[in-house]
Amino acid sequence: MAVSRSPLNPIIHPKDIKSTQPDFEVICAINAGVARFENNVILLLRIVERPINHDRNIYLAPIFNPESGGVILKSFNRSNPVNDFTDPRIITTPEERYLTALSHLRIARSQDGIHFQVEETPALFPKMPYETYGIEDPRISEINGSYYIQYVGVSSLGIVTALARTDDFRTYERMGIIFPPDNKDVAIFPEKIHGKYYALHRPSTSAFGKPEIWLAESPDLLCWGNHQHLVGQRISGWENGRIGASAVPFLTDRGWVEIYHGANKANRYCLGALLLDADQPWHVLARSAAPVLEPETEYERIGFFPNVVFSCGALYEDGKVKIYYGAADTCIAYAEIPIEQVFDGLSG
Amino acid sequence: MAVSRSPLNPIIHPKDIKSTQPDFEVICAINAGVARFENNVILLLRIVERPINHDRNIYLAPIFNPESGGVILKSFNRSNPVNDFTDPRIITTPEERYLTALSHLRIARSQDGIHFQVEETPALFPKMPYETYGIEDPRISEINGSYYIQYVGVSSLGIVTALARTDDFRTYERMGIIFPPDNKDVAIFPEKIHGKYYALHRPSTSAFGKPEIWLAESPDLLCWGNHQHLVGQRISGWENGRIGASAVPFLTDRGWVEIYHGANKANRYCLGALLLDADQPWHVLARSAAPVLEPETEYERIGFFPNVVFSCGALYEDGKVKIYYGAADTCIAYAEIPIEQVFDGLSG
């Protein structure tokens, strides 16, 4: 598929981003929610930072403490055989699981959509008890002039999706948990359809079921119901492991287009497209046969978690889909594709 | 604790219940939703039935087919080493998981609350795509003269909780999925509190988090939000494995009382009590130190799944809590306890 990557990719790199504390380092700037605001493109970046570790005998888990408002470091002896350190992102003890890095959300602004200025302080930092292991992967839905941020909270209570609102990308109002654990990859449609709000979401099941895309409806953006399974995995190679919504859906003359992600069993993440009926979004009209975007360049193939293109937002402007995406779980890249080529890649 | 079991226990036994097809047998009658209706006590029983298997070389999984409306039998060779048959309730293949029995919901009626007449046909039988492995564990909330049934649907899509309504326990209206997978042990409060409905629920998480009790709110019983973690496990012996709501909460002069279940790591299930603030049910005022009811009698200790007392409903009448409960995952038993003794067993 004739997707055009920016020659300036990656357009945002963690090495250029200031950590929130001197003894932390930013290791990833990824998976940004996207909005157009006052002639700027706004990215709400997921910034991943970790404590700088000077002791090779230990692993550190940074944990936000809602009571003090600070971050505490929990230390684990590398030689303790009851703990599992095989996944560099996770520390697993017999009682509990921890993350080795803490994510927050930060604003980047651009006039041309390519050259971004990243703010030096967080827009949203962990605050609530369900955010103690970090906040991640925001999507932004512009609804009636307000911007609604669907973000993931991780803690020892599970993985939830919460809602926040801003009108100016300077102050933010937290509105509570909208999908109970485990649930991520929530993307709220930017307008009501016949009087109801709709959202794509991705429950994770424990015994039966697979990580796939569901649809829910709401009268008020806060309470969600009438859950329906919308799209399943396919046995084809690129999306037989897990799928989930990526960008907020946008309306075209053929229906809603959803840029979603699919991973294979080896955790190689690609992006595909869904076409949903404009009036009845629970009807899937068509779906990409091949990925719209897949990890091919060096910055997509090599990084913190290799072979990943993962988007949390795109703009649909001038007949083009402008995709901002996390590459190799490390940096932000940009690509665009004419909508007609997305349509050409769909099969019924 | 001075709980009084009925000397007629078990009051409903699967051997007395007719299967829905001649080649099926009823193996459990358990976990009933409870309501008072027209001077009768109504139990909405979970009836578990399985195909009679004449071939010792195979295991059978009964699966409801939403297209034909019938039940198909999937056969698994016992000698196939890729399949796991160690849990008698579950068949696990490399691709999928199945149940060895199919549950539906059936009405039993009684004037004295002890001697029940079980109907010969189902009240609710699997119907929807998310019910293909059965429907289970109903709770009944009487709200403004209607009875709202919160029941669990199991399928290859996951474990969901759906809502149905009846005004007469003869016809039922399905109202859709109210909690996405995995979620069970939903108990909706029987009245609005300051304009909102509330429900206890029990999400199951896959990576972080434990099976514990959450609280949600709703404007309309269909859409749920503002999810909050309400009550966690305790390291004490009887509830360190999993906890969940059991009966629909009932209001006392001290607040809402919730009869909940807790299991230890060996899957021994007991019942305990929570006291929640009448106006602010997210405030847990007190909790049983010791179980209100625990498996002690032979019918509670020996059965399809041993050492289980598990309730989906209780009546609070005449100062007594009248608990109907599944015993050893096999039959229905009855016990009552004065509310003052429940209060005496609470600690702050």
Side-chain angles (χ1 to χ4, degrees):
Chain A
M1 197 164 285
V3 61
S4 305
R5 289 173 173 83
S6 169
L8 298 177
N9 276 347
I11 57 171
I12 297 176
H13 202 279
K15 69 174 163 34
D16 303 323
I17 296 175
K18 206 169 168 234
S19 63
T20 59
Q21 334 188 5
D23 49 346
F24 275 53
E25 59 185 340
V26 172
I27 54 173
C28 321
I30 52 173
N31 305 356
V34 182
R36 190 165 275 285
F37 176 70
E38 291 179 349
N39 279 326
N40 282 340
V41 176
I42 298 274
L43 297 184
L44 185 59
L45 299 163
R46 172 180 168 195
I47 301 293
V48 188
E49 54 182 6
R50 71 179 170 201
I52 297 167
N53 186 354
H54 300 287
D55 184 347
R56 288 180 166 267
N57 297 314
I58 60 168
Y59 282 99
L60 293 173
I63 303 169
F64 175 75
N65 181 338
E67 279 145 39
S68 72
V71 177
I72 58 165
L73 299 184
K74 203 169 162 86
S75 171
F76 301 86
N77 199 313
R78 283 191 188 222
S79 59
N80 189 338
V82 304
N83 298 331
D84 181 355
F85 306 108
T86 48
D87 186 327
R89 301 169 301 177
I90 298 169
I91 295 167
T92 304
T93 74
E95 301 81 32
E96 197 74 59
R97 195 175 264 203
Y98 302 92
L99 294 179
T100 57
L102 188 73
S103 292
H104 67 267
L105 308 183
R106 210 183 293 192
I107 293 289
R109 295 169 201 266
S110 171
Q111 290 199 324
D112 65 4
I114 298 291
H115 297 83
F116 280 88
Q117 194 83 27
V118 181
E119 293 189 351
E120 295 218 338
T121 55
L124 287 161
F125 196 78
K127 182 179 181 185
M128 310 299 285
Y130 51 86
E131 301 174 353
T132 56
Y133 297 174
I135 56 177
E136 307 182 350
D137 294 4
R139 277 78 172 179
I140 304 173
S141 302
E142 184 184 351
I143 302 174
N144 295 331
S146 286
Y147 295 86
Y148 291 88
I149 300 162
Q150 308 114 65
Y151 67 94
V152 173
V154 185
S155 75
S156 62
L157 300 173
I159 299 167
V160 301
T161 295
L163 192 67
R165 182 174 60 193
T166 185
D167 292 334
D168 55 11
F169 291 101
R170 300 198 184 278
T171 60
Y172 301 86
E173 177 197 359
R174 274 176 163 84
M175 303 173 78
I177 298 179
I178 53 174
F179 288 91
D182 278 351
N183 209 309
K184 48 165 54 177
D185 300 328
V186 171
I188 299 177
F189 288 64
E191 58 187 71
K192 280 189 175 178
I193 303 168
H194 298 298
K196 290 176 181 170
Y197 294 108
Y198 288 86
L200 306 171
H201 65 103
R202 215 287 296 284
S204 289
T205 60
S206 56
F208 304 90
K210 299 186 173 80
E212 299 180 329
I213 301 174
W214 288 59
L215 183 73
E217 62 182 54
S218 172
D220 57 9
L221 296 171
L222 299 174
C223 295
W224 294 88
N226 195 20
H227 301 276
Q228 299 176 56
H229 181 262
L230 185 71
V231 183
Q233 299 172 20
R234 282 194 295 202
I235 52 168
S236 69
W238 67 278
E239 53 173 337
N240 62 6
R242 56 183 57 237
I243 61 172
S246 265
V248 169
F250 53 85
L251 193 58
T252 69
D253 54 8
R254 294 212 202 166
W256 293 100
V257 171
E258 165 60 21
I259 303 295
Y260 73 101
H261 64 270
N264 66 11
K265 293 190 193 301
N267 286 317
R268 181 177 185 264
Y269 280 77
C270 300
L271 298 178
L274 297 172
L275 184 65
L276 309 177
D277 186 272
D279 284 320
Q280 301 180 322
W282 53 91
H283 283 147
V284 181
L285 303 178
R287 182 172 176 179
S288 308
V292 171
L293 184 68
E294 56 188 314
E296 290 172 330
T297 66
E298 186 175 335
Y299 55 86
E300 294 160 350
R301 288 187 295 106
I302 300 170
F304 186 66
F305 197 87
N307 295 309
V308 171
V309 296
F310 187 99
S311 178
C312 288
L315 296 173
Y316 174 51
E317 295 175 336
D318 312 322
K320 289 185 286 197
V321 186
K322 302 174 174 178
I323 304 174
Y324 294 88
Y325 61 99
D329 256 15
T330 301
C331 52
I332 292 279
Y334 173 79
E336 57 185 41
I337 180 169
I339 190 70
E340 289 306 326
Q341 295 198 14
V342 173
F343 290 148
D344 289 347
L346 298 174
S347 56
Chain B
M1 198 165 285
V3 62
S4 304
R5 289 172 173 82
S6 169
L8 297 177
N9 276 349
I11 57 171
I12 297 176
H13 201 279
K15 70 174 162 35
D16 303 323
I17 296 176
K18 207 170 167 231
S19 62
T20 58
Q21 333 188 8
D23 50 346
F24 275 54
E25 59 185 341
V26 173
I27 54 173
C28 321
I30 52 174
N31 306 356
V34 182
R36 189 164 275 285
F37 176 70
E38 291 178 350
N39 279 326
N40 283 340
V41 176
I42 298 273
L43 297 185
L44 185 60
L45 301 163
R46 173 181 167 193
I47 302 292
V48 187
E49 54 182 5
R50 69 179 171 200
I52 298 168
N53 186 353
H54 300 288
D55 184 346
R56 287 180 167 268
N57 297 314
I58 60 168
Y59 282 99
L60 293 173
I63 303 169
F64 175 76
N65 182 338
E67 279 145 39
S68 72
V71 177
I72 59 165
L73 300 183
K74 203 169 163 84
S75 171
F76 300 86
N77 198 312
R78 282 190 189 225
S79 59
N80 189 337
V82 303
N83 298 331
D84 181 355
F85 305 107
T86 47
D87 186 327
R89 301 168 300 177
I90 298 169
I91 295 167
T92 304
T93 74
E95 301 81 32
E96 197 74 59
R97 196 175 264 202
Y98 302 92
L99 294 178
T100 56
L102 189 73
S103 293
H104 67 267
L105 308 183
R106 209 183 292 194
I107 294 290
R109 295 170 201 266
S110 171
Q111 289 199 323
D112 65 4
I114 298 292
H115 297 84
F116 279 88
Q117 194 84 27
V118 181
E119 292 188 352
E120 296 218 338
T121 54
L124 287 161
F125 196 80
K127 182 178 180 185
M128 310 299 285
Y130 51 85
E131 300 173 353
T132 55
Y133 297 173
I135 56 176
E136 307 182 350
D137 295 3
R139 277 80 172 178
I140 305 172
S141 302
E142 183 184 352
I143 302 174
N144 295 333
S146 286
Y147 295 86
Y148 291 88
I149 300 162
Q150 306 115 65
Y151 68 94
V152 173
V154 185
S155 75
S156 62
L157 300 174
I159 299 168
V160 300
T161 295
L163 192 67
R165 182 175 59 193
T166 185
D167 292 335
D168 56 10
F169 290 101
R170 300 197 184 279
T171 60
Y172 301 87
E173 177 197 358
R174 274 175 163 85
M175 303 172 78
I177 297 178
I178 54 174
F179 289 91
D182 279 351
N183 208 310
K184 49 166 54 176
D185 301 327
V186 172
I188 299 177
F189 288 66
E191 58 187 70
K192 281 188 175 179
I193 303 169
H194 298 298
K196 290 176 181 168
Y197 295 107
Y198 287 86
L200 306 170
H201 65 102
R202 216 286 297 283
S204 289
T205 59
S206 57
F208 303 91
K210 299 186 171 80
E212 299 180 329
I213 301 174
W214 287 60
L215 182 73
E217 61 182 55
S218 172
D220 57 9
L221 297 171
L222 299 174
C223 294
W224 293 88
N226 195 20
H227 301 275
Q228 299 176 57
H229 181 263
L230 185 71
V231 183
Q233 300 172 20
R234 281 194 296 202
I235 54 169
S236 69
W238 67 277
E239 52 172 339
N240 62 7
R242 55 183 58 239
I243 62 172
S246 265
V248 169
F250 53 86
L251 193 57
T252 70
D253 54 9
R254 293 212 204 167
W256 293 100
V257 172
E258 165 60 21
I259 304 295
Y260 73 102
H261 64 270
N264 66 12
K265 293 190 192 301
N267 286 317
R268 179 177 185 265
Y269 279 78
C270 300
L271 298 177
L274 298 172
L275 184 65
L276 309 177
D277 186 271
D279 284 319
Q280 300 179 323
W282 53 91
H283 283 148
V284 181
L285 303 177
R287 182 172 177 179
S288 307
V292 170
L293 185 68
E294 55 188 315
E296 290 172 330
T297 66
E298 186 174 336
Y299 55 86
E300 293 160 351
R301 288 187 296 106
I302 299 169
F304 185 66
F305 197 87
N307 295 309
V308 172
V309 295
F310 187 99
S311 177
C312 288
L315 296 173
Y316 174 51
E317 295 176 337
D318 313 321
K320 288 185 286 197
V321 187
K322 302 174 174 179
I323 304 174
Y324 295 88
Y325 62 99
D329 256 14
T330 300
C331 52
I332 293 279
Y334 173 80
E336 56 185 42
I337 180 169
I339 190 69
E340 289 306 326
Q341 294 197 14
V342 174
F343 291 147
D344 288 349
L346 298 174
S347 55

